[in-house]
Amino acid sequence: MATYMYKQSFRNFSMGYGSTVACGMFILITLMSVFTLKFITRKQES
């Protein structure tokens, strides 16, 4: 996704679309991190 974002932003000069892809990546990574941390902490409590 990062390569796609780069190509859209800097090669095709579509900064808005590249920014949208970056925001989507941020949300996806944040959600994955939250679920991973919850899974790890729950597993350690058992």
Side-chain angles (χ1 to χ4, degrees):
M1 282 181 75
T3 305
Y4 179 70
M5 176 190 64
Y6 172 79
K7 287 180 182 179
Q8 289 299 317
S9 297
F10 298 109
R11 289 191 180 169
N12 297 335
F13 301 106
S14 180
M15 295 293 176
Y17 189 72
S19 177
T20 303
V21 173
C23 289
M25 284 174 44
F26 174 75
I27 291 169
L28 181 65
I29 291 168
T30 302
L31 290 174
M32 288 173 56
S33 298
V34 167
F35 287 130
T36 302
L37 287 173
K38 285 190 177 194
F39 179 73
I40 289 172
T41 56
R42 183 174 50 178
K43 195 171 186 179
Q44 288 178 352
E45 291 174 357
S46 298

